[in-house]
Amino acid sequence: MAKFEVVNHPLIQHKLTIIRDKDCSTKVFREVTNEIGMLMAYEITRDLPLEDIEIETPIMKTTQKQIAGKKLAIVPILRAGLGMVDGIMDMIPAARVGHIGMYRDPDTLEAIEYFAKFPQDIDERRVFVVDPMLATGVSAITALNQLTTKYNVKEENITFVCLVAAPEGIKALQEAHPNVDIYTAALDEKLNEHGYIIPGLGDAGDRIFGTK
Ligand code: URA
């Protein structure tokens, strides 16, 4: 059974309140979004397997733990996903980074992929797909469709990471990809008629990059 977790650590909740505020500057929004990404990295990596290794301290030989298993990849959905990557990378600096870009066709409302570049061994990695806002779920589902069908990544090896989710997006994503773990810092009330999450934090991409 895949996990669905609202990461309610006090530091994350506090920082999320800072960026939800409409008067938060672009600079602070960007910094704090990365800080939340760093804190969420703790939770999303909690189940990584460990193995024993022999090392020698200045005092003696000893058996200690190191992370084992699959190598890691972070895949931000462009462009807002970029806002969390540096923070996550602070915690897992050896992870490779793939990118997937999508725009919403204004007529069909479908998500159209316009860019995708992944590590060549992405199907052998544990993959963290990152997008701050899980609204309708269309972009997330389309990105996961691509990863699972075109690049052969198994759902079991994918974790979807966001800051704010709408119940509609969670439901859609769980139905489309039932074996993908989902972590969010907040589960908000619902979507409004324009597809924005309420109360939400507005357009995450615009707020990260100062384009509004
Ligand atoms: N994307 C955003 O950036 N914000 C929302 O509220 C919904 C989708």
Side-chain angles (χ1 to χ4, degrees):
M1 180 69 181
K3 287 196 195 106
F4 167 59
E5 199 171 313
V6 179
V7 185
N8 57 4
H9 190 288
L11 285 175
I12 294 180
Q13 297 307 310
H14 178 84
K15 288 174 190 291
L16 192 54
T17 303
I18 293 173
I19 62 171
R20 282 186 192 270
D21 188 329
K22 68 177 175 36
D23 294 326
C24 177
S25 69
T26 301
K27 175 178 181 288
V28 171
F29 192 97
R30 200 180 287 147
E31 286 168 359
V32 174
T33 299
N34 269 310
E35 287 170 11
I36 299 173
M38 186 172 76
L39 292 167
M40 288 195 74
Y42 265 44
E43 294 301 328
I44 63 179
T45 53
R46 192 176 280 285
D47 64 356
L48 291 183
L50 291 170
E51 66 186 1
D52 287 343
I53 61 158
E54 302 282 324
I55 58 159
E56 201 170 339
T57 73
I59 312 297
M60 62 179 287
K61 286 196 173 147
T62 172
T63 303
Q64 298 294 332
K65 303 286 180 197
Q66 71 174 9
I67 289 176
K70 291 189 184 343
K71 296 200 170 80
L72 309 178
I74 306 168
V75 175
I77 300 180
L78 303 180
R79 79 188 150 141
L82 291 174
M84 293 171 71
V85 172
D86 287 348
I88 298 175
M89 290 279 283
D90 283 346
M91 288 295 112
I92 45 172
R96 297 286 176 89
V97 182
H99 294 88
I100 185 160
M102 262 164 317
Y103 69 90
R104 178 74 74 93
D105 182 299
D107 298 324
T108 64
L109 300 184
E110 262 180 87
I112 314 286
E113 179 192 304
Y114 65 86
F115 182 80
K117 182 102 188 183
F118 302 117
Q120 133 276 322
D121 59 353
I122 187 89
D123 56 327
E124 293 165 20
R125 288 175 180 264
R126 168 128 207 114
V127 181
F128 299 102
V129 177
V130 183
D131 195 351
M133 309 302 278
L134 178 62
T136 60
V138 172
S139 307
I141 291 167
T142 309
L144 297 189
N145 288 347
Q146 289 291 75
L147 281 169
T148 52
T149 58
K150 204 158 152 198
Y151 298 91
N152 298 321
V153 182
K154 292 199 176 65
E155 283 191 359
E156 291 77 4
N157 292 333
I158 301 176
T159 300
F160 184 81
V161 188
C162 61
L163 293 186
V164 181
E168 296 91 328
I170 297 286
K171 182 167 181 286
L173 185 51
Q174 284 177 328
E175 278 171 12
H177 293 284
N179 297 311
V180 168
D181 290 340
I182 304 173
Y183 286 79
T184 184
L187 179 59
D188 273 12
E189 200 184 317
K190 59 178 180 177
L191 297 177
N192 71 9
E193 64 278 22
H194 305 293
Y196 280 93
I197 300 174
I198 56 174
L201 49 72
D203 186 303
D206 278 341
R207 298 201 64 196
I208 290 163
F209 295 106
T211 43
K212 210 162 190 182

